[in-house]
Amino acid sequence: MNMHTKAADVVSKSLAQAPAFIERQFPVNRVSAEVHKERKAIHGQILTSLGSYWKGRKPLLLVRASILGCLLPATDKPLQDLRVFLLLMGMDDRSIAKRMKAIKPANIDPTWPRYAELVAEGSKPSWRGDLSKEDRQSLIREWFSGLPFSQRLALSLRPDECEEDLHGGIWEEVNAHLGTTSNSLPELVQQLGVMRFGHSPRVADLFAGGGSIPFEAARIGCDAVATDLNPIACMLNWGAFNIIGGGEAARLLLADAQQKVVEAIEAKLDELGVETDASGRRAKAYLYCVEVTCPKTKYRVPLAPSWVISKNLRTIAKLVPRPEKKTYDIEIVTGATDKQLEAAEKAGTLIDERVVHPANPDREGVALSVIRGDRKGDAGENVNLLRKWNREDVVPRKDDVFGERLYCIQWMRDGATEAEGDDDLDAASTFYAAPTKRDLASEAKVTRIVQESLADWQKRGLVPDQVIAPGEKTDEPIRTRGWTHWHHLFLPRHLLFGALALEEIAAIKDPFVKGSLLIGFCRTLNYMSRLTQWLTRKKPENAAGGFSDVVNHVFYNQALNTFYNFGCRASVGLLPSMKKAFPSIGLPGTGRVSTREASAIDTESDIYVTDPPYADAVNYHEITEFFIAWARKLGRKVFPDFIWDSRRELAIKGVDEKFRTDMVGAYKGDGGAMPDNGIQVVMFTHQDAGVWADLAAIMWAAGLRVTAAWNVITETESSTKKGNYVQGTILLVVRKRLEKHNGRRMDIEGEIEDEVKAQLRSLNAIDEEWRAERLYTDGDLQLAAYAAALRVITSYETIDKQDVGSDVFRKLAKGEKTVIRDLIEYAASVANNMLVPEGFQPSLWRDLDSASRFYVRMLDMEHKGISKFADFENFAKTFALSSYQQLMGATQANKASLAGAGRLEGKHMEPGGFGETPLRRVLFAVFKTMQKDDPKIGLSFLKTEFGQDYWTARLTLADMASYLSAKTVRTRPDESAAANLVAEALRVDRL
């Protein structure tokens, strides 16, 4: 398409001063639901194909919503603004209907009035046979359209799964509203860029990381710039633009090269004969364990937390003592009984960091720290007896504290083929066996080849030669294993495979192919290391397809975890990753990668969308050295513009004034490289209560002003995460502060109050007019109130002639409150007084303490079906309530709830704080009523507690009990009934 011709049909810079849609409204509930759907589609996420080890990518749909929100104008027709935004996002009701999956009879709710017209009677639901296909589809659409949005979404495809169909028929309405002439999303983006900035919109990300922001910007037609210090991040962004966005011809060229490289590696390994048994069967995985000498028995003990190898194939390892050698043989038992499996599960030799084994009658065992010789050095540092490995080492020495032992091999049965993924090779296609003398000879051969070739390979850049620099994450392998160089993290088999692979890649002439294969190799590195845990996985009943035990990937979390029992994938488990196809998606926009620090940006962009490192962000500057160590020498040839070093010293990190100063430098840099009408979206996900004040101060000191803030639910629960993790991503919208005004503190408080009221009125009006579903929760409105306050605060250069933004450059005393934090707390109090929970008396609300406000607010939220822990946590911050957990009954990420009267019982009744509030006393009265179903007991307690004040407080207490009853009728019906009894008893009580 010729987008530039279309752009000539609109007036340049006609929207230059127009406020952006995202500054006035943002449908966070719909966006959150769609984003959550994208997050759950783990294998369907486009950019993870480049490397799933980069975990911090923001969802593409969130990026698209943010950029479109910046480009679209906020007009005097807010409801139509919203409709156009949803049309473009494929999130309007008509688009949702287009996205509907194939519906089955079992999906239809039998209570639907027209159910019998569509579904035939019978034990198993089926479509009525007397309906034509057209009539059936018509009834299905009617049923579907009546469902709540969340249910329709669950039965729909993601927008990017059917994108070509979604925008058909919308352009007449869109163009009429916006004054454009587009016929596609890229054309519209081009035209909006011209209308705002005079040219195609330029979008930049200063912390590009995994590349989702620049990639999605280019996918919708922007000119995108990806900037990052880290060469691995730069390489991933190059891959997003050039591999995934390179078109079909590039994909076919790469696929051919991938196949040739894989075949060459296979041929060399076959020639060496180190991955097959005497019958020619191929190995799938090798299982290793660490060995130590028990100081009590002098036995050499193999370590494992469990000796179950495979539950699916009922295979275990059994330790057989050899007293004469002070060692253990390890037998591999197949066809184990349930009793044997249970015994093997409990027979681990490493229990709670203590070495326990059959030859030691003391079942307490010996602490591993004793064997390792952990102690404090002369300077108070942690030291131990572990030998620091030399550069020449590839395996432990015989006298090392930690030895290493191959104890089991997973073999592929005759006829089994390589697997494309962990679950693709059925467990029954493999079997396990102890290594034979031939297998051990192959192991020794690999070690000998690597030892003899190591210096040459390192010189040629085929295996790592770098020292591991100490750091928060990189200290782990140094401290726990004595490894000093990056190649120590890899078994000889890994080093052999890596050298063969990089040798083939280095021989490629085409720079695009060579760079793409290097990205594929780094993807494979995530599966080859001494840091890959052996996972035994029980196949669920009725599960379809393969479900095998597997060697895990290194970065299942963002750390360098060492294990005492680990696996090594043979080439059959590594090569599929090297030849795995990359998706191919056309990019109407352009993409450029820049490797520089954020404060040194060299080109102007109109829109900045950034996801900066904040406080406890992942230490990518450390852990990506795992990949840099392998890729840097070849990388310098393929990507000469990238700096092949992690540049730790330049990475923005930490929580102190140095971090804040670096952040100011970064955002002052992009502010200087942005036109006066430019706009930014800063994304951050963090739990710390001080994040608002810090970030506001950073933006202020950088010469930026806040114009809006929205909270989008972006994170999914993970089985690898324990506890509750932040689920919301805040979108902070900022612009340049062009005027240098001084504000008086007393005047600013009045402005904040007016701005907060206006913001809430505006959003509530849109919500009431929309009607399809509630657009904004109380939490969203609370956040919008914060943003309204920040709009006022950050519009001033100084307050009372003081540069309050300078607080970011100094160390704050413990508990010190800055001017910004004071004003934000004032804004919170203004919003709190306005956002009275539905059904609660406003006059009572104003007099409540923070704990009672939290409890009353969350009762209302529970009543509305809110159960995300993040919402409870956010409101606790809003009410400055640090002790909120004592009021919680459940704190699971998506199943959070308050502690009801029955759960609280007599707890937290002590004087001071929540314990002596009227609400807490009403809750206890309800609890006492629940015990014997008699309100007289509860009433007696209240009279005793309040004494002479009882009669003046009686109706207030009755209102609280009525509210409690109304809000728990669904969640805790017994409590609701008891609260109603207490309320009625209070109302009829007389002197």
Short mmCIF file of all heavy atoms in Angstrom, two decimals, residues 827-847:
data_model
loop_
_atom_site.label_atom_id
_atom_site.label_comp_id
_atom_site.label_asym_id
_atom_site.label_seq_id
_atom_site.Cartn_x
_atom_site.Cartn_y
_atom_site.Cartn_z
N ALA A 827 -4.26 14.06 47.80
CA ALA A 827 -5.14 13.68 46.69
C ALA A 827 -5.88 12.39 47.01
O ALA A 827 -7.07 12.23 46.68
CB ALA A 827 -4.33 13.50 45.41
N ALA A 828 -5.20 11.46 47.66
CA ALA A 828 -5.85 10.20 48.03
C ALA A 828 -7.00 10.46 49.00
O ALA A 828 -8.07 9.85 48.88
CB ALA A 828 -4.82 9.26 48.66
N SER A 829 -6.77 11.36 49.95
CA SER A 829 -7.84 11.64 50.91
C SER A 829 -9.03 12.30 50.22
O SER A 829 -10.18 12.02 50.55
CB SER A 829 -7.31 12.53 52.03
OG SER A 829 -7.00 13.83 51.57
N VAL A 830 -8.76 13.18 49.25
CA VAL A 830 -9.84 13.81 48.50
C VAL A 830 -10.65 12.75 47.76
O VAL A 830 -11.89 12.72 47.80
CB VAL A 830 -9.29 14.86 47.50
CG1 VAL A 830 -10.41 15.36 46.58
CG2 VAL A 830 -8.66 16.02 48.24
N ALA A 831 -9.93 11.86 47.07
CA ALA A 831 -10.61 10.81 46.31
C ALA A 831 -11.37 9.87 47.24
O ALA A 831 -12.49 9.45 46.94
CB ALA A 831 -9.59 10.02 45.49
N ASN A 832 -10.75 9.53 48.36
CA ASN A 832 -11.41 8.62 49.30
C ASN A 832 -12.74 9.19 49.80
O ASN A 832 -13.72 8.46 49.97
CB ASN A 832 -10.49 8.35 50.50
CG ASN A 832 -9.35 7.44 50.13
OD1 ASN A 832 -9.43 6.71 49.14
ND2 ASN A 832 -8.28 7.48 50.90
N ASN A 833 -12.75 10.49 50.06
CA ASN A 833 -13.98 11.11 50.55
C ASN A 833 -15.06 11.15 49.48
O ASN A 833 -16.25 11.15 49.79
CB ASN A 833 -13.69 12.54 51.03
CG ASN A 833 -12.98 12.54 52.38
OD1 ASN A 833 -13.14 11.62 53.17
ND2 ASN A 833 -12.18 13.57 52.63
N MET A 834 -14.63 11.14 48.21
CA MET A 834 -15.61 11.19 47.12
C MET A 834 -16.09 9.80 46.72
O MET A 834 -17.23 9.63 46.32
CB MET A 834 -15.00 11.88 45.89
CG MET A 834 -14.73 13.36 46.08
SD MET A 834 -14.19 14.10 44.54
CE MET A 834 -15.65 13.90 43.53
N LEU A 835 -15.22 8.83 46.82
CA LEU A 835 -15.55 7.48 46.37
C LEU A 835 -16.17 6.68 47.51
O LEU A 835 -15.55 5.76 48.06
CB LEU A 835 -14.31 6.79 45.83
CG LEU A 835 -13.74 7.38 44.52
CD1 LEU A 835 -12.37 6.79 44.22
CD2 LEU A 835 -14.69 7.13 43.37
N VAL A 836 -17.37 7.03 47.88
CA VAL A 836 -18.07 6.33 48.96
C VAL A 836 -18.63 5.02 48.41
O VAL A 836 -19.29 5.01 47.37
CB VAL A 836 -19.22 7.19 49.51
CG1 VAL A 836 -19.92 6.47 50.65
CG2 VAL A 836 -18.70 8.55 49.96
N PRO A 837 -18.36 3.90 49.07
CA PRO A 837 -18.88 2.61 48.59
C PRO A 837 -20.40 2.64 48.47
O PRO A 837 -21.10 3.26 49.29
CB PRO A 837 -18.43 1.62 49.67
CG PRO A 837 -17.25 2.26 50.30
CD PRO A 837 -17.52 3.73 50.28
N GLU A 838 -20.87 1.97 47.46
CA GLU A 838 -22.31 1.94 47.20
C GLU A 838 -23.06 1.33 48.38
O GLU A 838 -22.72 0.26 48.87
CB GLU A 838 -22.57 1.12 45.93
CG GLU A 838 -24.01 1.12 45.47
CD GLU A 838 -24.19 0.34 44.17
OE1 GLU A 838 -23.20 0.20 43.41
OE2 GLU A 838 -25.30 -0.15 43.95
N GLY A 839 -24.08 2.08 48.88
CA GLY A 839 -24.89 1.57 49.98
C GLY A 839 -24.42 1.99 51.35
O GLY A 839 -25.05 1.67 52.36
N PHE A 840 -23.28 2.71 51.40
CA PHE A 840 -22.76 3.15 52.70
C PHE A 840 -23.07 4.64 52.88
O PHE A 840 -23.00 5.42 51.94
CB PHE A 840 -21.24 2.92 52.79
CG PHE A 840 -20.72 2.87 54.18
CD1 PHE A 840 -20.86 1.73 54.95
CD2 PHE A 840 -20.11 3.98 54.76
CE1 PHE A 840 -20.38 1.67 56.25
CE2 PHE A 840 -19.62 3.93 56.05
CZ PHE A 840 -19.76 2.78 56.81
N GLN A 841 -23.39 5.02 54.11
CA GLN A 841 -23.76 6.40 54.40
C GLN A 841 -22.55 7.32 54.24
O GLN A 841 -21.52 7.14 54.91
CB GLN A 841 -24.29 6.52 55.83
CG GLN A 841 -25.60 5.81 56.08
CD GLN A 841 -26.77 6.51 55.39
OE1 GLN A 841 -26.69 7.67 55.03
NE2 GLN A 841 -27.85 5.78 55.20
N PRO A 842 -22.63 8.35 53.36
CA PRO A 842 -21.49 9.28 53.20
C PRO A 842 -21.06 9.93 54.51
O PRO A 842 -19.87 10.13 54.73
CB PRO A 842 -22.04 10.31 52.21
CG PRO A 842 -23.08 9.58 51.43
CD PRO A 842 -23.72 8.65 52.42
N SER A 843 -22.00 10.26 55.36
CA SER A 843 -21.65 10.91 56.63
C SER A 843 -20.82 9.97 57.52
O SER A 843 -19.92 10.41 58.25
CB SER A 843 -22.92 11.35 57.37
OG SER A 843 -23.77 10.22 57.60
N LEU A 844 -21.11 8.66 57.46
CA LEU A 844 -20.33 7.70 58.22
C LEU A 844 -18.94 7.50 57.62
O LEU A 844 -17.95 7.34 58.33
CB LEU A 844 -21.05 6.34 58.28
CG LEU A 844 -22.37 6.27 59.04
CD1 LEU A 844 -22.91 4.84 59.01
CD2 LEU A 844 -22.20 6.75 60.47
N TRP A 845 -18.88 7.50 56.29
CA TRP A 845 -17.64 7.25 55.57
C TRP A 845 -16.56 8.26 55.95
O TRP A 845 -15.41 7.92 56.15
CB TRP A 845 -17.92 7.29 54.07
CG TRP A 845 -16.72 7.11 53.19
CD1 TRP A 845 -16.10 8.05 52.44
CD2 TRP A 845 -15.99 5.89 52.97
NE1 TRP A 845 -15.04 7.52 51.76
CE2 TRP A 845 -14.95 6.19 52.06
CE3 TRP A 845 -16.12 4.59 53.45
CZ2 TRP A 845 -14.05 5.24 51.62
CZ3 TRP A 845 -15.21 3.62 53.01
CH2 TRP A 845 -14.19 3.96 52.11
N ARG A 846 -16.95 9.52 56.07
CA ARG A 846 -15.97 10.57 56.36
C ARG A 846 -15.32 10.39 57.72
O ARG A 846 -14.19 10.84 57.95
CB ARG A 846 -16.64 11.95 56.28
CG ARG A 846 -16.93 12.41 54.86
CD ARG A 846 -17.30 13.88 54.83
NE ARG A 846 -18.56 14.14 55.52
CZ ARG A 846 -19.75 14.09 54.92
NH1 ARG A 846 -19.82 13.80 53.63
NH2 ARG A 846 -20.86 14.33 55.60
N ASP A 847 -16.02 9.73 58.65
CA ASP A 847 -15.50 9.61 60.01
C ASP A 847 -14.75 8.30 60.26
O ASP A 847 -14.24 8.09 61.37
CB ASP A 847 -16.66 9.70 61.02
CG ASP A 847 -17.34 11.07 60.98
OD1 ASP A 847 -16.65 12.05 60.63
OD2 ASP A 847 -18.55 11.14 61.27
#
